[in-house]
Amino acid sequence: MMNPKPNLEIWLERGLFASRWLMAPMYVGLVIALIGLIAIFFQELIHAIPLLLSGQADAEDAIMLSLSLIDLSLAGNLVLIVIFSGYENFVSKLDIGETADRPSWMGTVDFSGLKMKLVASIVAISAIALLKAFLAATDKGAAIDETKLLWLVIIHLTFVLSGVLLALMDWLASLTDKH
């Protein structure tokens, strides 16, 4: 015959389990951050369109605008992935039914998958920042800040190496899960 758990232990475990809801305000804060990214996205767009239409901008300006908007879009995607995956993995399942709009990855991204998506997004954002810096350095008559470019390359390669190492660790962990 098993001894039932003491009431104190039962209440402690229920309290610990309920504490996951303390994360919910953080996800609401990330929604507010996403709204901020949308505002900046449209500020960039509204600021640049008159320059592009007036003929004061050249192809490089259009490319830089595109890269800035892609950068903001990737950051928004990153925030959305963290909101959905984090909430579903750590707080509660999203009970929105099986609508046609539901992304196929929702409910299937575990913590390992979340890490990989985060790292991939960070690498892409870093690559765009690096590309923007190189394009700015090639502007006619612009002084090239070699130290800044070197640090951007080092930081980007650090993100890439970190992503590769995380993927390697996840792969190694998947091999040991079979035991």
Side-chain angles (χ1 to χ4, degrees), residues 11 66 95 179:
W11 283 103
S66 297
D95 188 18
H179 294 293

Side-chain angles (χ1 to χ4, degrees), residues 37-49:
L37 284 172
I38 291 168
I40 292 169
F41 180 94
F42 282 105
Q43 284 175 354
E44 289 274 327
L45 193 59
I46 290 168
H47 174 73
I49 287 179

Side-chain angles (χ1 to χ4, degrees), residues 108-129:
T108 61
V109 177
D110 60 359
F111 187 64
S112 176
L114 177 59
K115 279 190 310 190
M116 294 313 300
K117 286 183 180 302
L118 288 173
V119 169
S121 295
I122 290 168
V123 167
I125 290 167
S126 170
I128 289 173

Side-chain angles (χ1 to χ4, degrees), residues 79-140:
V79 171
L80 210 58
I81 289 168
V82 171
I83 291 170
F84 287 157
S85 297
Y87 185 85
E88 283 206 329
N89 280 309
F90 301 112
V91 179
S92 180
K93 295 290 179 201
L94 288 170
D95 188 18
I96 58 170
E98 292 300 320
T99 66
D101 289 341
R102 182 182 175 101
S104 61
W105 56 266
M106 272 184 67
T108 61
V109 177
D110 60 359
F111 187 64
S112 176
L114 177 59
K115 279 190 310 190
M116 294 313 300
K117 286 183 180 302
L118 288 173
V119 169
S121 295
I122 290 168
V123 167
I125 290 167
S126 170
I128 289 173
L130 184 59
L131 182 57
K132 284 170 57 176
F134 276 116
L135 286 175
T138 61
D139 277 348
K140 301 154 204 81

Side-chain angles (χ1 to χ4, degrees), residues 5-19:
K5 286 185 177 183
N7 283 338
L8 179 61
E9 185 177 354
I10 290 169
W11 283 103
L12 176 65
E13 290 174 359
R14 287 181 182 168
L16 289 173
F17 185 67
S19 70

Side-chain angles (χ1 to χ4, degrees), residues 116 119 123 156-169:
M116 294 313 300
V119 169
V123 167
H156 178 69
L157 291 176
T158 301
F159 287 145
V160 170
L161 181 62
S162 297
V164 170
L165 290 175
L166 278 172
L168 179 63
M169 287 188 305

